[in-house]
Amino acid sequence: SDECDPVALNLGQLHALMREPQAALTLYGKAARSAAAAHKSPAAIASLEGRAHLENGEHELARAKFESAMQLEPSKLAHRYNVAAALYRGAKPAVDRATGKPAPRTPDEVAQAQRDIECAAGLAELPEGVSDAAAKEAAKAGLTQARRADFLKRCAALGAALETKLRSAAEAHAAR
């Protein structure tokens, strides 16, 4: 990007690809400071930082960075999708490394995950009145209608699984 230190940005992307999110975040921060010093929008850097947090399993931090990018550039549909992806990943049950099975969650955690999935699905939809230029820009960046449709299917499947989990937890609680 012309807005920031290209060396720091490229190195950050390399570290992200090598699954070294902490190093990537450090370099993205350097690139963001460079962009801020040049009085440029740091939305692209926030988005990259969000991606590194997402790959590191830090869903809330990723969501915050993606939301920051969305606030800075509200017309970019990719930022909406990134927030949706962070919500989706955060709603999926964590896997217990010892057993390989989903970690147990409280009914409140499952209910929150359901709300997050509903929000993710809403963000993945094209907003009313979106311009053709914005839709074309999103498609050029890889956010095609087919990709959104697949994401919405995955949201629906996870939402149904969460509903089943919540219902069985409520039944077990009532049986006590």
Side-chain angles (χ1 to χ4, degrees):
S1 173
D2 296 339
E3 307 175 345
C4 60
D5 179 355
V7 174
L9 183 61
N10 287 337
L11 285 173
Q13 289 173 323
L14 286 173
H15 281 285
L17 289 172
M18 294 185 316
R19 303 274 189 234
E20 297 172 350
Q22 293 302 346
L25 286 167
T26 299
L27 289 160
Y28 291 152
K30 180 179 178 187
R33 287 188 299 279
S34 171
H39 305 292
K40 303 288 183 175
S41 171
I45 302 299
S47 188
L48 288 171
E49 287 176 323
R51 183 174 132 198
H53 283 300
L54 195 62
E55 290 173 0
N56 202 33
E58 301 165 328
H59 305 111
E60 288 300 317
L61 292 171
R63 178 182 175 181
K65 288 293 183 179
F66 291 144
E67 286 176 343
S68 173
M70 190 170 73
Q71 289 172 352
L72 291 166
E73 294 178 337
S75 65
K76 289 207 175 193
L77 298 176
H79 297 319
R80 288 175 56 92
Y81 184 80
N82 288 342
V83 174
L87 287 166
Y88 176 83
R89 289 224 192 142
K92 289 175 71 174
V95 175
D96 184 325
R97 291 180 190 214
T99 65
K101 295 181 180 180
R105 294 197 277 187
T106 67
D108 287 344
E109 290 171 329
V110 174
Q112 180 60 52
Q114 282 183 302
R115 289 189 294 275
D116 288 348
I117 283 297
E118 289 172 10
C119 186
L123 285 167
E125 294 282 354
L126 284 179
E128 290 246 348
V130 68
S131 71
D132 286 340
K136 286 179 183 175
E137 179 186 358
K140 187 177 175 183
L143 185 53
T144 62
Q145 179 59 35
R147 187 172 180 188
R148 280 193 310 275
D150 178 61
F151 182 79
L152 290 171
K153 273 199 258 183
R154 288 185 288 135
C155 283
L158 182 54
L162 290 167
E163 178 63 33
T164 300
K165 183 87 167 163
L166 191 60
R167 197 173 319 123
S168 66
E171 289 169 1
H173 182 69
R176 288 186 216 172

